Amino acid sequence: MAQPIATLIEKMCDKNESEAYRYADKLAEIGGEEVLDELLVILKGEDLENAMLAARALSSMKDNQNALDPLLELIHDKSLRYQNGMFVQALEGFDLSQKLVDVFKIYLYGNFKSSLLAKEYLDHVEFDISPRTIRKMEKHWNHYQHNSPEDEAFELKKLEVEEMIGEMKALFDEEE
């Protein structure tokens, strides 16, 4: 590993460093495959704070698409369900156009912050949609409906999801 990169990573991961995020931002500016690989190791590591800093850096990097699937794995990790908001926020720096189902699952099952961020992505990202994608979304929605209490929050989500899926289906009904 190149010395400046190693030094920046060391400072970013230093628990006594009050501005570790600046080192994460500097790593993002440097970018490249070496930085991406090093940040992925940290992202997948045991230290949640360092993983969040790595996610921040990866989100800001150019050519970061190879980090998207590992980031989504972390977000979907059930043990981090109530701590993954920062990771979901990092998704804003990625091309999510192929990840509609993943974002939809975050919307359904995420904590308050994660679900809110996922809804923003669902509303504003231009996703590649196919009938197969819609069927996968319906599968997750059906599972959610059968495993969630039918409270006020559920009813609100139900209205939003049924409208969303209905609009997507209408796109393909018009083509026929």
Side-chain angles (χ1 to χ4, degrees):
M1 176 170 23
Q3 189 55 39
I5 294 171
T7 302
L8 290 169
I9 286 179
E10 188 178 316
K11 289 185 179 204
M12 180 186 82
C13 294
D14 182 349
K15 297 297 180 201
N16 296 317
E17 180 55 60
S18 62
E19 296 187 354
Y21 67 92
R22 287 192 179 185
Y23 297 104
D25 294 345
K26 185 68 179 158
L27 286 162
E29 284 176 31
I30 294 170
E33 196 170 324
E34 182 181 0
V35 171
L36 185 116
D37 291 343
E38 291 297 324
L39 290 172
L40 281 175
V41 169
I42 296 166
L43 183 75
K44 296 174 184 178
E46 297 293 316
D47 189 306
L48 198 58
E49 286 179 36
N50 288 343
M52 287 180 187
L53 288 164
R56 174 188 174 111
L58 289 164
S59 177
S60 298
M61 284 178 61
K62 292 181 177 148
D63 301 321
N64 62 0
Q65 218 48 27
N66 288 339
L68 181 56
D69 285 337
L71 180 58
L72 285 168
E73 277 179 42
L74 199 59
I75 290 168
H76 292 308
D77 183 335
K78 285 181 175 40
S79 70
L80 299 176
R81 183 175 179 194
Y82 299 105
Q83 302 166 314
N84 68 4
M86 179 68 179
F87 298 120
V88 175
Q89 188 172 345
L91 290 174
E92 70 188 10
F94 292 87
D95 173 7
L96 298 175
S97 62
Q98 302 293 318
K99 300 296 182 181
L100 174 60
V101 175
D102 282 294
V103 174
F104 183 69
K105 283 171 53 180
I106 296 166
Y107 169 66
L108 290 179
Y109 299 107
N111 61 39
F112 182 76
K113 179 179 180 179
S114 298
S115 185
L116 207 58
L117 288 166
K119 181 69 169 103
E120 281 293 310
Y121 299 140
L122 290 169
D123 289 344
H124 296 99
V125 170
E126 196 168 311
F127 291 99
D128 292 338
I129 302 169
S130 68
R132 183 172 185 252
T133 306
I134 297 169
R135 284 192 301 276
K136 285 182 177 182
M137 289 174 66
E138 288 176 315
K139 181 184 136 221
H140 289 294
W141 173 236
N142 286 332
H143 182 268
Y144 180 86
Q145 287 184 85
H146 293 96
N147 294 292
S148 297
E150 293 195 22
D151 56 10
E152 194 174 316
F154 172 85
E155 291 301 322
L156 179 62
K157 200 166 268 194
K158 181 178 179 181
L159 288 171
E160 291 175 341
V161 169
E162 288 177 351
E163 180 182 354
M164 185 186 321
I165 291 175
E167 288 173 0
M168 288 181 198
K169 283 182 164 181
L171 293 172
F172 293 96
D173 290 343
E174 292 170 6
E175 290 178 4
E176 292 175 0

